[in-house]
Amino acid sequence: MLLLGLTGGIGSGKSTVSSALAERGAVVIDADGVVRELQAPGGAVLAAMVEHFGNEILAADGTLDRQAVANIVFTDAEQLKALNAIVHPAVGAEIDARIEAQRSLDNIVVLDIPLLVENKPYSPEGVIVVDTDPEIAVDRLVRFRGFTAEDARARMARQATREQRLAEADFVVPNDGTPEDLVPHIDACWEWIKGLESATDTADSASGSDS
């Protein structure tokens, strides 16, 4: 198993890159996807959230109203801390289990984690950063995801800075242009990954022959 981290700020296009790497053969463990699964109706995480925040965080159909949660936690540091205390341990345990399931397999595993740089919960063999000019990211969030510019900037302010992410990067995927502009950068990233995989396999073979 070759374990890699993938991160990028909100609006960077990280999910697009993640999907493209999956299409090329990577096994993607999507932290946001794990969160959504664990917050589904009937799960212990959603039940704990409702116990703490109340039924106001539920939509009419009983699913989680994510905007209602955001409205609470993004203006209250203590509430955000409480949310993280509920969600993070469960998500971490599930991600650990998924990594462990891949441990004996010969796969390229990509951990798609928005807060990889901030929390550093794992030690991947390489970190891929999707890099976007912050103002371009704000524009995307406003145009395509319905954010206000103020909300977009507020969320970005709670993440690592562009400079902090780039300092942790082993490979940078620039994404300031169109989806078509992004494709060759993803191709280059995949070539880098395959080279890393080959080098790792060679090192493992050499180690095995010495034993």
Side-chain angles (χ1 to χ4, degrees):
M1 178 185 73
L2 175 64
L3 183 65
L4 301 170
L6 173 67
T7 194
I10 186 170
S12 66
K14 176 181 60 63
S15 296
T16 300
V17 174
S18 176
S19 296
L21 295 178
E23 290 171 0
R24 286 160 173 78
V27 174
V28 174
I29 299 175
D30 178 1
D32 284 343
V34 171
V35 171
R36 286 191 293 272
E37 289 177 27
L38 295 179
Q39 290 177 337
V45 171
L46 182 59
M49 289 177 64
V50 170
E51 182 178 355
H52 179 81
F53 296 107
N55 288 328
E56 66 191 80
I57 66 169
L58 294 178
D61 63 357
T63 60
L64 181 66
D65 183 340
R66 298 182 188 284
Q67 187 58 50
V69 177
N71 292 343
I72 295 170
V73 303
F74 283 114
T75 58
D76 188 325
E78 287 303 311
Q79 292 284 43
L80 179 60
K81 184 178 178 181
L83 174 65
N84 289 340
I86 294 169
V87 175
H88 285 180
V91 172
E94 179 61 24
I95 290 175
D96 288 345
R98 296 188 187 194
I99 293 173
E100 197 57 37
Q102 293 291 328
R103 188 75 63 185
S104 62
L105 303 177
D106 189 24
N107 289 327
I108 295 167
V109 178
V110 174
L111 290 175
D112 179 349
I113 302 181
L115 301 182
L116 182 67
V117 171
E118 292 87 333
N119 296 332
K120 297 185 179 179
Y122 303 97
S123 299
E125 293 165 74
V127 174
I128 302 161
V129 171
V130 184
D131 179 54
T132 304
D133 181 284
E135 288 307 308
I136 292 175
V138 169
D139 181 64
R140 288 173 181 162
L141 292 169
V142 170
R143 285 197 294 147
F144 303 123
R145 292 176 59 180
F147 283 63
T148 65
E150 292 75 15
D151 188 21
R153 290 193 174 93
R155 295 195 187 210
M156 291 167 67
R158 289 175 172 82
Q159 297 184 335
T161 65
R162 185 183 193 184
E163 292 73 23
Q164 287 170 330
R165 280 190 294 270
L166 290 174
E168 298 290 333
D170 295 299
F171 192 96
V172 177
V173 178
N175 187 26
D176 283 345
T178 67
E180 291 74 23
D181 294 333
L182 181 60
V183 172
H185 296 300
I186 295 172
D187 288 338
C189 181
W190 186 245
E191 287 302 311
W192 174 78
I193 290 171
K194 296 299 289 184
L196 200 60
E197 180 185 42
S198 178
T200 301
D201 289 345
T202 300
D204 288 345
S205 297
S207 176
S209 64
D210 290 342
S211 59

